[in-house]
Amino acid sequence: MFGSLVLASPFIFYLVAGFIFSALRLKEKYYVYRGLGFGLSLFALGVCFCYFVLMPKALQASVLYSNWLGFEANQWRAEDYISFICKFMLGMGIGFQMPVVLLTLVKIGVLSYSMLRGMWRYMIVINLVLGALLTTPEVITQVMMAGPLYLLYEISVWIAWYWERRDRKREAVERKREEDEIKRRGGAAHDA
């Protein structure tokens, strides 16, 4: 099932994109392509982080805790192992999409820097809950999963701060330009 989803996903994305992109303008397509590239990169980064960093620790902890409880955990059934690894990597890849979602909400005006800054306590809890749901039932891997997710959240907050600061500077420059134009026109009308 997982193999068929992986093999079919490029075709499904192509058909969905063909349907959606026909309704978009050129500028909107540019932003969608940029977002997709950023999102796919973050997804791949999340999967790689999970497979190379988190997965060995999770498997070690699973064997260790099983041995403490008196169970034999050195042998896995193939379907259980593949299901566990796919769920784990898919969850981490999806978790790494958080900056894309947050920054999209900032761009469309639903969230702002001040709102994101105020939500940091909730994000710690949400990341720990995600870690508990998507990892083995022990604290080490849960915290190892929540740490990078919170780091991505903080990066999103700083990007939102930069965007707001840049927009404020642009507005100030535009306002100054309009005031200078009004003064210039007023002076020209006064001279005439």
Side-chain angles (χ1 to χ4, degrees):
M1 184 174 103
F2 291 118
S4 64
L5 284 175
V6 168
L7 291 175
S9 63
F11 299 109
I12 293 169
F13 288 139
Y14 176 75
L15 293 173
V16 170
F19 178 73
I20 293 173
F21 284 172
S22 62
L24 298 177
R25 290 186 219 118
L26 189 60
K27 187 176 183 178
E28 293 167 340
K29 287 180 185 179
Y30 168 74
Y31 286 123
V32 169
Y33 283 131
R34 227 169 91 179
L36 282 174
F38 188 61
L40 288 174
S41 300
L42 281 175
F43 185 83
L45 182 68
V47 168
C48 289
F49 174 78
C50 181
Y51 188 77
F52 294 112
V53 176
L54 205 55
M55 190 64 64
K57 299 290 184 199
L59 294 175
Q60 281 178 336
S62 177
V63 169
L64 180 68
Y65 287 129
S66 296
N67 288 337
W68 281 353
L69 296 173
F71 299 114
E72 181 67 30
N74 291 330
Q75 295 180 354
W76 288 66
R77 290 184 13 208
E79 64 188 59
D80 294 336
Y81 181 74
I82 291 172
S83 174
F84 171 72
I85 286 183
C86 289
K87 175 185 161 191
F88 208 7
M89 290 192 309
L90 183 66
M92 196 63 167
I94 290 172
F96 268 55
Q97 297 301 304
M98 182 178 47
V100 175
V101 173
L102 291 176
L103 293 175
T104 300
L105 292 174
V106 167
K107 268 298 191 194
I108 62 175
V110 174
L111 291 176
S112 66
Y113 164 72
S114 58
M115 291 172 71
L116 287 175
R117 178 57 38 214
M119 294 177 10
W120 70 272
R121 291 176 188 91
Y122 302 113
M123 289 308 294
I124 290 174
V125 173
I126 289 169
N127 290 334
L128 287 171
V129 168
L130 282 175
L133 292 174
L134 297 173
T135 63
T136 56
E138 42 78 32
V139 177
I140 296 169
T141 54
Q142 293 173 8
V143 171
M144 284 181 68
M145 185 173 190
L149 293 178
Y150 186 74
L151 179 67
L152 288 171
Y153 169 74
E154 282 295 325
I155 291 170
S156 301
V157 170
W158 286 107
I159 291 173
W161 171 80
Y162 172 75
W163 285 351
E164 278 191 19
R165 185 172 162 246
R166 182 190 64 193
D167 291 344
R168 271 187 265 132
K169 284 184 178 181
R170 273 191 201 149
E171 289 173 8
V173 167
E174 283 293 321
R175 202 173 320 121
K176 176 82 168 127
R177 188 178 304 141
E178 287 173 2
E179 289 172 359
D180 291 344
E181 184 66 26
I182 291 171
K183 287 179 184 177
R184 188 180 60 78
R185 285 184 185 168
H190 185 272
D191 290 340

